[in-house]
Amino acid sequence: MSIIVAIDGPSGAGKGRLAQALCDKYDLAFLDTGLLFRATALKATLKGVAVDDDKALADVAKSLCDEDFEPINELRSEINGQVASKIAVLPKVRAALVSYMKKFAKTNGNKGDGAILDGRDIGTIICPEADVKFFITATPEERAKRRVNELQNRGIPVIFEEVLQEMTRRDRRDRERKDSPLVAASDAIVVDTSKMSIADVVDKAVKAVDKALACA
Ligand code: C5P
């Protein structure tokens, strides 16, 4: 399957679930690019690196290895997500991770068996040539509700208002940064999932991917 699918959008909109469903259906390689920023953030925190020390943070980003993606719970925590979005504004950090993301797309993408990348700047900066681009969004309240459910299902007690506030803060930082802000690519299919089931979102996406494959 020679295709690149780009999925962008704010936190909690359902990018990950869509990416997983498309990976399963089309057997594509998958890169959750948020994990790169999260792993850099966690490793930097553990090393005591300040969130504005761009040179040291870029060194941490360049030094990532497989073990840095464990343990998954700490990587996925809200606090680590906040740190990830703070370091993601720094051009040196982005530059260190961009090459990893582009290489993944090139190796697994059109010349390989196909790839899906999800993140904030996939359709605009990392893979502007992607065959299909999705921008997955939902209202802040709906996204916060989903995140609360997810955390509670994992046994983590949370307060809705706090999750909403943190999410809004992180989204604003992602949208307003100068380097690679969160924005829909002009040729992206925008899907507001606020009132859609995951099955409906996947159905809509599958139609678009099938269409792209037919034209490939
Ligand atoms: O997707 P996730 O919530 O795991 O991403 C964590 C943070 O990493 C985001 O809030 C964003 O600041 C950053 N990120 C980014 N560019 C990407 C993926 C994630 O700036 N392609």
Side-chain angles (χ1 to χ4, degrees), residues 15 37 74 159:
K15 302 186 297 293
F37 291 87
E74 283 178 38
I159 299 165

Coordinates of all heavy atoms in Angstrom, one line a residue, residues 15 37 74 159:
K15 N -7.6 11.8 16.9 CA -6.6 11.5 15.8 C -6.0 10.1 16.0 O -5.9 9.4 15.1 CB -5.4 12.5 15.9 CG -5.8 14.0 15.7 CD -4.5 14.8 15.7 CE -3.6 14.8 16.9 NZ -4.2 15.4 18.1
F37 N 7.7 14.4 21.0 CA 7.8 15.6 21.8 C 7.6 15.2 23.3 O 8.3 15.8 24.2 CB 6.7 16.6 21.4 CG 7.0 17.2 20.0 CD1 6.6 16.6 18.8 CD2 7.8 18.4 19.9 CE1 6.9 17.1 17.6 CE2 8.1 18.9 18.7 CZ 7.6 18.3 17.5
E74 N 3.6 7.7 32.1 CA 4.2 9.0 32.3 C 4.3 9.9 31.1 O 4.1 11.1 31.1 CB 5.6 8.8 32.9 CG 5.5 8.4 34.4 CD 6.9 8.1 34.9 OE1 7.9 8.9 34.6 OE2 7.1 7.2 35.7
I159 N -10.6 16.4 37.3 CA -11.8 17.3 37.4 C -11.9 17.9 36.0 O -11.0 18.4 35.4 CB -11.5 18.5 38.4 CG1 -11.3 17.8 39.8 CG2 -12.6 19.5 38.4 CD1 -10.7 18.7 40.9

